[in-house]
Amino acid sequence: VTGCSTGIGRATALALHRAGLVVVATARRPEALADLAALGIETLALDVTSEESMTEAVRTVEERHGHVSVLVNNAGYALQGPVEDTAIEAVRDQLETNVVGLVRLTQLVLPGMRAAGAGRVVNIGSMGGRFTFPGGGFYHASKHAVEAVSDALRLEVAPFGVRVVLIQPGPVQSAFVDSAVATLD
């Protein structure tokens, strides 16, 4: 499960652990996962904008547990600001985190899933992938992209026993809004 320091990722890791499943909770800052580790949840550092970090995390999970049987792509944030005034580097960072990282991590786990003849990729999108609000164009663009990638991937990997699920939640109580507001100048 990626992006477990707060919100949906943390809640997902806890729910899966409580259901008796082996969970590897990840975040850019592993110290943010100390309380999950104290509960017996395995934790790893994972930055979805770093090829080295993603490769190392997948290698570690595969060494410890065999192939990744379920990948929950949750890491992300909401860049806020008008299209005209948002720095292009911030736009790149948004897409790198919310789309490119999700795609690359999925690419890294698919060979193991295919070899096992089973697996599941769960992509956490957003209702914001279905419509757009002013000031959120780049976040919404990233979630539209997650929807499109999920739809294509679902058809591409089905013959190999791999299922793809897209979850598009609405507003939830978490630190997500605080993070989005922090992106405003």
Side-chain angles (χ1 to χ4, degrees), residues 6-86:
T6 62
I8 292 172
R10 175 175 289 271
T12 299
L14 286 167
L16 295 172
H17 175 71
R18 289 181 186 130
L21 300 171
V22 174
V23 176
V24 180
T26 68
R28 283 179 295 134
R29 295 177 314 278
E31 64 273 10
L33 306 174
D35 60 320
L36 298 179
L39 294 172
I41 298 173
E42 188 176 342
T43 62
L44 281 177
L46 173 62
D47 180 347
V48 299
T49 66
S50 165
E51 178 73 19
E52 181 181 341
S53 178
M54 289 186 284
T55 302
E56 178 63 22
V58 171
R59 185 192 61 73
T60 298
V61 171
E62 288 177 342
E63 284 178 359
R64 293 179 185 170
H65 305 288
H67 78 283
V68 175
S69 57
V70 177
L71 170 62
V72 180
N73 279 312
N74 170 72
Y77 69 98
L79 175 64
Q80 298 296 304
V83 171
E84 181 179 10
D85 295 331
T86 302

Side-chain angles (χ1 to χ4, degrees), residues 99-124:
V99 182
V100 177
L102 173 146
V103 168
R104 183 61 184 136
L105 194 56
T106 301
Q107 289 174 335
L108 291 169
V109 304
L110 282 174
M113 290 181 176
R114 263 196 321 276
R120 185 166 300 189
V121 176
V122 180
N123 291 330
I124 307 298

